[in-house]
Amino acid sequence: MSSQQHNATPIAAVPGDGRQAVVGDPAANVNSNGLDNESELERGEKRERETLGLSEKPTELEATYTAIHQGRENSGHGVNVEQAEADFAEVSKELSHASHASHKLAKIESGQSKGATTADIEKAEDCDSSIQPFDLESTLRGNKAAEDAVGVKAKRIGVYWDGLTVSGIGGVKNYVKTFPMAFVSFFNVYETVRNMIQWRQKGRQFDILRNFRGVTKPGEMVLVLGQPGSGCTTFLRAISNQRHGYTRIDGDVLYGPFDSKTFAETYRGEAVYNGEDDIHQPTLTVGQTLEFALETKVPGKRPGGLSRHEFKEKVIRLLLQMFNIEHTRNTIVGDPFVRGISGGERKRVSIAEMMVTNATVCSWDNSTRGLDASTALDFMKSLRILTDIYKVSTFVSLYQASENIYRLFDKVMVINEGRQVFFGPAKEARAYFERLGFLEKPRQTTPDYLTGCTDPFERDFAPGRSSNDVPSTPDQLVDAFDKSNFSKQLWTEMSDYYQQMQREQDVYTDFQTAVKDSKRHASEKSVYSIPFYLQVWALVKRQYLLKWQDKPSLAISWVTSIITAIMIGTVWLDLPVTSAGAFTRGGILYIVLFFNASQAFSELISTMTGRPIVNKHRAYAFHHPSALWIAQLIVDLAFSAVQILVFSVMVYFMCHLVREAGAFFIFYLMTVSCYLAVSLFFRTVGCVCSDFDVAIRLVTMIVVLFILTSGYFIQWHSEQVWLRWTFYLNSIGLGFSALMINEFRHLNLQCTAGSLIPFGPGYDDIEHQVCTLSGSTAGSDSVSGTQYIETAFNFDPSDLWRYWGIIVVLIVVFLIANTFLGEYVRWGAGGRTVTYFVKENKERKALNEALRQKREHRRKTDDEGGAGLKAASKAVLTWEAINYDVPLQSGQLRLLNDIYGYVKPGTLTALMGESGAGKTTLLDVLASRKNIGVITGDKLVDGKPPSLAFQRSTSYAEQIDVHEPTQTVREALRFSAELRQPFDIPQEEKYTYVEEVLSLLEMEDIADAIIGEPESGLAVEQRKRVTIGVELAAKPELLLFLDEPTSGLDSQSAFNIVRFLRKLASTGQAILCTIHQPNSALFESFDRLLLLQRGGQCVYFGDIDKDAHVLLDYFRRHGASCPPNANPAEWMLDAIGAGQAPRLGSRDWAEVWKDSDEFQDTKREIARIKEQRLQEVGDTPPVQQKEYATTMFHQIKIVQRRTHLAFWRSPNYGFTRFFNHVIVALLTGLMFLQLDESRASLQYRVFVIFQITLLPAVILAQVEPKYQISRMIAYREQTAKAYKEFPFALAQVLAECPYSILCTAGLFLPLYYITGFQRASDRAGYQFLMILITEFFTVMLGQAIAAVTPSPFFASLLNPTIFMIFALFCGVTVPRPQIPGFWRAWLYQIDPLTRLIGGMLVTELHQLPVRCTEGELNRFTSPPGRNCGEYMADFFAAGGPGYIVDNGTSNCSYCAYSVGDELFEPLGYSFSHRWRDLGILAAFIGSNLVILFITVRRNIIYDLCDDRALIDSLGEISQL
């Protein structure tokens, strides 16, 4: 390991923000706590020298180095500072070269045999001369010296805690909620409000951590150990001042002299926490991610006179070099569903981003998860060096820490069930527990040993000792520690530190000065480094990149906008300035507003899904959350304004709206203002709502209210008095009012012949006619636009700018609400995950009792179980010359390069390599999971190409844990067993096997637990067990693949998993698995190793043997010897050049492998295996190969059962759908309360029916994400050949049906009876059927759209256009006679809502009498000598509509309609066609099903998506 040690160093900070003097500085003789620091300095120097592999006596170079710094401090006494700095720069180079030489010498010592000669050394130097290793130590010391040169003060803050107790909600077993419980919860108003404000949540308060105490001085590293769930994460969050989500935190936590409240209010970004999950903007590149972080943290005082840009570039380059990810700078970060850098590289980006904070207190929570052993060690060495140089207080929690990593720590804390059972020197912790009476285990790493001592099922006692005389419970271990010398030493250390804090005010003055100097134009009191306006500017640049780089979304948004504009423009092409175009002109204005406003709905999704990133950046003190909302507003407005301008120009001039420049720009201004107000409204809802379901309910209710009160469907003066006030909060209504005034105040409308009453032959005297258009006067054939809007809509032209002013006020109010809520409302920023269970029934109770008994028996007898696990197959998988190429814009990229190997039954093979070497890619290729790229080479089973049953005969436990979240663990395993084990095996036998797997994976306590989502379900470790269990339950006949089965687990759990795999292999199972960071004991559990290096090249395939004898002998024979105390699994990665360590030896190890005898032996063994197995298989009778283990009917039954259960256990989904239907019906019913027989009520009945066309908008927003979430889960199961695509699609369709019927009833009853529709049973029954069929149609349309689009985001971009087509061409917005012939010939006919409107309209209006009110009558006079009856006789005889109130007078009062039929018949509707329309609407359901089933059958979407990115943009789904 000496070959790497000089590089082993850290950086938890960014150069340029003051730290402290370098080691050797006399001014540092007083430590950060004010104590005499001589011994600490000596220890620090000794540790650094050991890390660098240097002698204890300082060399001449080092003495010069120290002297230079002494000279700087004593510059006032005659020392030439400038000369000293120049000397330092030269010495720094020499130190670096000396370090490199030391590194090479260590490498040569490791790689040379006894007969090594000087020539070999020269050869090695020549080999490496062109590539200088990155030396972090000298780089950071140089940076520190440069900071000192410009007077940057040191930031040295220790952490002191005493009586630290953290409490949360829990202690109550939570049972899964079902659909009916959603109703109970909703109507329990008190409980609903209490949950919304997160006050007194359900459960009891309990202590997560209790009575912790300790101190960490600047420059110390503390390792926090404990089993999962013991409280490690809570401690790290609490110690880094991340207190949100806990009910109470007691005790004292001091950061230097500052208490936690003061530190949070003044120095928030100086204590930071890095969680397990990697949360980033997936579409930003690695360089852009780090550049944004740095933009908010570039200090005001920078070393070396660097500009801001130069400083950022220098730090980014340093961080990328430090973590060996320079090659990823221009690659997007990605996430589990967006292709980007690898998981290990993403973890390193997370680490680098937090280092940008330059914090003085850093907590790292299992930050080596997903990293290979070499990279993990590099990272921890980097932390060590950074901690030493910049005197950071560092806390680290690791689940799988090697001995080399453990040696880097000063102190260790051991936690057991929320109790601190040890805190003291790391080098003495092991001996302490051994003295307590625990068994010594020399082969076990110290972290594993310490954690194991807290596990009642894994610890062992020394001979002659037992739990009776050895502290075993948490309380006993705490008592033992309190009585120990370590406790006394801790009290003394804490007391001394506390006293010294009071005396060393200069240290904390320097800290305050350093923090002040780190700010760039920001207020001294601000916790942020840059002022608000610079935060906004940095965020504007980031948001621009996010928008601009998301080309598919931009393209779809523009295409849909232009297509919609073309449709609107052609439907209302060149509107006439007549009475015929009056109402439709208003329709254009309303649709333009509503369409553009609906584009803002995506803001709700982005606001809610962006919360984790906002919370992280708030904690890092990068920016105010409110700055983000303003930046988003600016960027979205810039993009949307251009798009709306193009849309407006097309619609405005195609439709022939008023051709005046002022009118056009007012039109554009109102449209943009309305969009802005609605966008901010959606963002405000996103800030205030706890989850997506609550947001959808609130949005539906308010948007429906906005539609109803906008003034288009029902005029303001006709609305219910108690609802009118909402108009002034309705930006759509205000915008519509302004647009109507802007348009009609310039017009003078000419009445057409059809608008004059009476009309026809003999009626040509305008003095005895009247125009039916509102605002007309008898004897006039024209109506001024102003008079029209004043009479029909009660709009006053002088109110135009008042309406716009109110919109501006709404924008300001929503923006203020956004900023306020963003700063003070924090959703999802902490707390504990909750596990839900299903209640035990008789069967489950018996099964759980049996599992508990089996566990007790296993512990008493030390029987590992597994007797029921047998693998009968003798088939062998071999692969030769496997190459895998993927297409890039620049050509082909080869990810795998000539890989050979095999897996025999009964063997456990490890697949290892550094992050990005191609391990998962090789597994995917071997398991037939790749569907893009080109695979060449031979993959054979028993010498033959894989059969149809290959994927079914293998199991693949993927790295990402994807499961149906509503299932219990037992149900998930049973589902796998029922569908993937042979059909002829009895169900009872399958279920018995499942219980065996539950027992072996030690999942007895969670057998009935709901898997849930990562945020609210099983823990990471438990989910990993479920993933493995699901694949084991399938009982693979051929091979078991596992991708990092131990990633995210603690070392003991990892050991148990590998031990179980070892036992499974001993029964005859063939297993191939990737693994990270195995310790020596774990590594030896494997029979064979396939080792890859970057570029997908093989460097070794062969046996491992005890103590890795065979593997190490291979490396030794080729020039690399492993030190005796090194872990072979870590050392071999260093040897091949993984991480930052240069490789050992003079040749590339891939070339060494290809030239080796072992490679030839592998080829010969593969040939022998193929020949032998062909002979053996040839003697056996052929077996019919089946792609699936079970029949189609069985698949439909099992999948259908699970899907129905999933819907039943998703109460929010079903209830939100029901709520939305009911609220639409209630608001519409109340707005059109008990319609009478007036002419206005006749029109309102049409609008009530038109409200049903809102169903697509309401339903699609829910159905599409639901389907695509399920599809993602189904895809994993379908690639395993559990079931075909058809059962999945059919199950989704049928599962929606009961909820669709309920939603139909919830919509129909209030809507129909509150409005006072016709109550005859034949009318009401028909209307119910039409709504039900529309509900089914819309649900299945949503599923069909979801099936043909890769993500809900893409689907949501299509929805507004689909909805617009439905609304435009159904015959209400534009009556059929006025639809242009081109559209009327086909689009009108294929619009499903045409049939809905046609059927429901004629059913409601047929034979409905109409009686006009006084205000609705059109008045004119008959010619002299004729009364009204005589004058109108010819008009009515010719079929004219309406009636005259009094035929005997000459003052005629005319009502436009006498019966409802007169309204719909001119539009082409007929009462006799209503059943035909119902049938055609039902047929549209069939067309949706055809699209759905064809799409899933042909795997259209699956072929478009790589299996590592099933859905390219699914970030929003994980939050639903």
Side-chain angles (χ1 to χ4, degrees), residues 1174-1207:
L1174 281 171
Q1175 292 176 353
E1176 294 175 356
V1177 173
D1179 298 335
T1180 59
V1183 179
Q1184 181 183 3
Q1185 298 292 331
K1186 296 181 180 179
E1187 187 176 8
Y1188 297 91
T1190 59
T1191 64
M1192 174 69 81
F1193 178 78
H1194 183 74
Q1195 293 173 24
I1196 291 174
K1197 183 180 74 171
I1198 300 302
V1199 175
Q1200 179 68 35
R1201 184 176 66 194
R1202 183 184 72 168
T1203 307
H1204 276 288
L1205 188 60
F1207 275 69

Side-chain angles (χ1 to χ4, degrees), residues 908-1222:
L908 179 58
T909 303
L911 174 56
M912 296 183 66
E914 64 177 308
S915 298
K919 305 182 294 297
T920 298
T921 302
L922 179 58
L923 276 189
D924 290 343
V925 168
L926 295 179
S928 299
R929 295 298 199 270
K930 285 295 182 189
N931 46 34
I932 64 168
V934 178
I935 301 171
T936 59
D938 294 327
K939 182 182 69 175
L940 305 174
V941 178
D942 292 341
K944 300 178 182 179
S947 67
L948 191 66
F950 174 76
Q951 283 180 262
R952 177 177 63 82
S953 302
T954 60
S955 286
Y956 186 8
E958 299 186 53
Q959 185 176 352
I960 301 175
D961 306 313
V962 179
H963 302 283
E964 169 54 57
T966 60
Q967 279 185 307
T968 67
V969 174
R970 177 179 280 116
E971 288 167 353
L973 268 62
R974 284 186 171 186
F975 182 82
S976 178
E978 285 191 294
L979 289 173
R980 296 172 64 182
Q981 289 190 27
F983 182 62
D984 53 3
I985 296 179
Q987 185 188 71
E988 183 179 354
E989 184 177 333
K990 294 178 181 178
Y991 285 2
T992 301
Y993 186 79
V994 165
E995 298 303 309
E996 185 73 20
V997 173
L998 286 171
S999 177
L1000 286 170
L1001 290 177
E1002 300 176 356
M1003 296 192 293
E1004 297 92 344
D1005 294 333
I1006 60 171
D1008 290 329
I1010 298 295
I1011 296 172
E1013 303 288 352
E1015 297 83 11
S1016 59
L1018 298 181
V1020 173
E1021 179 262 344
Q1022 294 169 327
R1023 297 174 70 86
K1024 181 62 65 178
R1025 289 176 185 269
V1026 175
T1027 299
I1028 298 171
V1030 164
E1031 298 305 317
L1032 291 177
K1035 212 171 185 178
E1037 301 172 4
L1038 177 60
L1039 190 64
L1040 174 61
F1041 297 100
L1042 301 104
D1043 191 7
E1044 297 186 26
T1046 62
S1047 181
L1049 308 185
D1050 66 293
S1051 50
Q1052 192 58 54
S1053 298
F1055 178 76
N1056 291 341
I1057 292 291
V1058 174
R1059 181 181 62 182
F1060 170 69
L1061 294 178
R1062 175 71 269 166
K1063 184 168 185 62
L1064 190 63
S1066 67
T1067 68
Q1069 182 70 62
I1071 303 174
L1072 174 62
C1073 91
T1074 63
I1075 190 167
H1076 278 171
Q1077 306 175 31
N1079 57 41
S1080 299
L1082 212 62
F1083 188 55
E1084 290 177 15
S1085 299
F1086 292 87
D1087 300 297
R1088 195 170 285 115
L1089 169 69
L1090 174 55
L1091 181 60
L1092 301 180
Q1093 71 176 16
R1094 186 172 293 278
Q1097 296 178 313
C1098 180
V1099 296
Y1100 180 77
F1101 177 74
D1103 293 338
I1104 296 176
D1105 207 0
K1106 183 173 177 58
D1107 296 327
H1109 170 73
V1110 175
L1111 171 68
L1112 297 182
D1113 181 64
Y1114 170 81
F1115 277 96
R1116 181 186 57 76
R1117 286 186 285 106
H1118 292 91
S1121 296
C1122 178
N1125 60 345
N1127 176 5
E1130 296 176 1
W1131 175 85
M1132 70 180 183
L1133 292 176
D1134 293 336
I1136 67 173
Q1140 294 181 2
R1143 69 167 185 266
L1144 303 183
S1146 60
R1147 294 181 61 198
D1148 184 271
W1149 284 98
E1151 296 178 4
V1152 171
W1153 168 250
K1154 289 182 178 179
D1155 294 340
S1156 68
D1157 294 336
E1158 286 80 359
F1159 179 50
Q1160 301 304 320
D1161 291 343
T1162 298
K1163 286 185 172 181
R1164 286 191 289 269
E1165 179 63 12
I1166 292 174
R1168 187 194 67 78
I1169 290 171
K1170 292 193 295 185
E1171 180 181 359
Q1172 177 183 344
R1173 289 300 299 158
L1174 281 171
Q1175 292 176 353
E1176 294 175 356
V1177 173
D1179 298 335
T1180 59
V1183 179
Q1184 181 183 3
Q1185 298 292 331
K1186 296 181 180 179
E1187 187 176 8
Y1188 297 91
T1190 59
T1191 64
M1192 174 69 81
F1193 178 78
H1194 183 74
Q1195 293 173 24
I1196 291 174
K1197 183 180 74 171
I1198 300 302
V1199 175
Q1200 179 68 35
R1201 184 176 66 194
R1202 183 184 72 168
T1203 307
H1204 276 288
L1205 188 60
F1207 275 69
W1208 185 251
R1209 289 179 182 167
S1210 304
N1212 278 340
Y1213 173 74
F1215 179 75
T1216 299
R1217 268 192 65 192
F1218 179 77
F1219 176 87
N1220 290 343
H1221 284 70
V1222 172

Side-chain angles (χ1 to χ4, degrees), residues 790-801:
E790 286 178 344
T791 305
F793 296 93
N794 205 31
F795 293 155
D796 186 344
S798 64
D799 288 340
L800 188 151
W801 294 109

